[in-house]
């Protein structure tokens, strides 16, 4: 009998991460099972309860409270200034706004670089105070000890490789893993993250061929952003993919809506109604 590969097997609809029938909160064990089934899944960022609630109702199975909130939500130029207190506050809001999605809280710059003990203390705050189901941190081999201790303490870790925005001051924003040496380093980092116990690896701005090789080499899923179509999962920053972000977007972003013009037009219509006396009307008033 011809063997079918995991990637060709039909997904059991009741178990599927997206479109599945389960109503309990998704765990990292469900993520591991999805890789075994060869099932692809979507992840979006979220920074507040209301947006997270919309995505939860739409069936998005994994949400990342990313430190991209720095640029997309808090008005900073980079992710570097974001604090752990801010991440705890936003993560708690996202957890409150959802009932099914696995919520991953980002460890911000300065909250884990000092070493494993600092990393565990920060991860513990995200779990105890915000209620996230997992944390994410940047770096493979350089964050090995941190990943190991957090995982051994019972907190699932998602690793982040390739372009790591917290290192913007040394790395800049450019494709990573080009050339043999850099590609081998990235592959080594991915395996190190897996060996340290990470349950998934984000690959940001990496050549598609390299992301495909990493995806084939790992037992844990890869989550691509600007890393081509071969990753097990894809993540986008929600304000980018909904057309809310101002200015030029990276080439890897696909826009699924134009919220910036929808919201701008609604704000102008309201302003014109107020100025022209068309709002409020009788049905909006109390007597
Ligand atoms: O902070 C973030 O949103 C991220 C994603 C881009 C993966 O790290």
């Amino acid at each position: 009998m011809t063997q079918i590969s995991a990637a060709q097997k039909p997904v059991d609809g009741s178990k599927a991460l997206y479109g599945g029938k389960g109503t309990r909160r998704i765990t990292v064990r469900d993520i591991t099972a999805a890789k075994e089934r060869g099932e692809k899944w979507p992840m979006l960022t979220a920074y507040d309860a209301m947006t997270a609630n919309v995505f939860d109702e739409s069936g998005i199975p994994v949400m990342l409270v990313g430190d991209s909130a720095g640029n997309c939500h808090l008005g900073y130029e980079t992710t570097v200034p974001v604090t752990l207190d801010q991440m705890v506050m936003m993560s708690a809001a996202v957890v409150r706004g959802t009932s099914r999605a696995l919520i991953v809280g980002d460890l911000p710059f300065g909250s884990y670089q000092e070493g494993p003990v600092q990393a565990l203390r920060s991860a513990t705050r995200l779990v105890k105070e915000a209620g996230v189901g997992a944390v994410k941190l940047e770096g493979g081999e350089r964050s090995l000890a941190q990943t190991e201790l957090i995982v051994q303490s019972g907190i699932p870790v998602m690793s982040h490789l390739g372009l790591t925005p917290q290192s913007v001051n040394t790395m800049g924003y450019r494709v990573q893993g080009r050339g043999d040496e850099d590609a081998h380093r990235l592959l080594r980092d991915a395996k190190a993250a897996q060996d340290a116990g990470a349950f998934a690896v984000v690959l940001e701005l990496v050549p598609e061929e390299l992301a495909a090789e990493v995806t084939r080499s790992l037992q844990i899923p890869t989550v691509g952003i600007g890393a081509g179509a071969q990753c097990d999962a894809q993540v986008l920053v929600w304000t980018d993919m909904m057309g809310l972000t101002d200015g030029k977007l990276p080439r890897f972003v696909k826009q699924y809506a134009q919220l910036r013009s929808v919201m701008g037009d609604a704000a102008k219509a309201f302003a014109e109604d107020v100025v022209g006396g068309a709002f409020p009307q009788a049905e909006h008033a109390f007597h």
Side-chain angles (χ1 to χ4, degrees):
M1 209 172 107
T2 325
Q3 289 274 313
I4 51 172
S5 73
Q8 292 168 305
K9 277 186 196 160
V11 172
D12 172 351
S14 63
K15 290 185 191 150
L17 289 180
Y18 176 70
K21 298 193 176 74
T23 48
R24 64 162 173 78
R25 208 177 268 281
I26 289 165
T27 68
V28 294
R29 288 162 61 102
D30 299 311
I31 303 294
T32 307
K35 172 105 184 187
E36 283 160 12
R37 291 194 296 269
E39 178 192 336
K40 293 195 173 202
W41 45 274
M43 175 163 104
L44 281 176
T45 65
Y47 316 114
D48 67 89
M50 202 184 285
T51 313
N53 186 250
V54 173
F55 297 160
D56 206 44
E57 281 186 356
S58 310
I60 297 296
V62 187
M63 276 175 235
L64 170 67
V65 189
D67 62 359
S68 52
N71 329 51
C72 305
H73 191 62
L74 298 173
Y76 299 125
E77 281 195 5
T78 70
T79 63
V80 172
V82 177
T83 67
L84 185 58
D85 283 344
Q86 288 168 331
M87 291 309 304
V88 169
M89 192 202 70
M90 291 184 288
S91 302
V94 169
V95 171
R96 284 195 294 274
T98 53
S99 58
R100 182 170 181 266
L102 169 67
I103 309 302
V104 183
D106 229 349
L107 288 173
F109 180 65
S111 73
Y112 62 95
Q113 282 84 354
E114 282 174 29
V117 173
Q118 186 205 24
L120 177 58
R121 200 178 301 126
S122 303
T124 303
R125 280 198 65 195
L126 281 172
V127 172
K128 281 182 84 118
E129 295 176 39
V132 301
V135 300
K136 177 169 85 58
L137 53 75
E138 295 185 0
E141 288 188 334
R142 71 180 148 100
S143 301
L144 208 61
Q146 284 90 329
T147 303
E148 266 169 2
L149 184 62
I150 298 173
V151 173
Q152 279 164 16
S153 306
I155 302 173
V157 171
M158 179 180 273
S159 169
H160 185 153
L161 303 175
L163 181 97
T164 47
Q166 292 175 12
S167 306
V168 60
N169 291 323
T170 49
M171 201 180 243
Y173 290 111
R174 60 183 178 84
V175 177
Q176 300 294 307
R178 280 196 167 135
D180 281 354
E181 201 181 313
D182 284 0
H184 282 128
R185 190 177 313 121
L186 196 130
L187 201 52
R188 261 201 326 272
D189 273 337
K191 287 193 175 146
Q194 173 174 274
D195 293 345
F199 75 95
V201 177
V202 170
L203 297 177
E204 181 165 355
L205 224 50
V206 169
E208 174 155 30
E209 299 73 16
L210 177 58
E213 194 182 341
V214 175
T215 303
R216 278 193 304 272
S217 311
L218 296 186
Q219 272 99 52
I220 58 174
T222 54
V223 186
I225 174 159
Q230 307 303 316
C231 294
D232 298 296
Q234 295 290 330
V235 57
L236 284 177
V237 168
W238 89 262
T239 48
D240 290 350
M241 54 81 74
M242 293 283 183
L244 195 56
T245 307
D246 190 21
K248 194 169 176 292
L249 289 175
R251 187 153 66 89
F252 59 76
V253 175
K254 177 172 174 183
Q255 281 194 328
Y256 289 83
Q258 295 299 331
L259 288 197
R260 199 172 177 85
S261 53
V262 170
M263 290 174 72
D265 289 350
K268 278 185 211 151
F270 166 67
E272 277 159 27
D273 276 1
V274 170
V275 171
F279 177 83
Q281 304 231 325
E283 69 263 32
H284 305 120
F286 301 92
H287 300 285

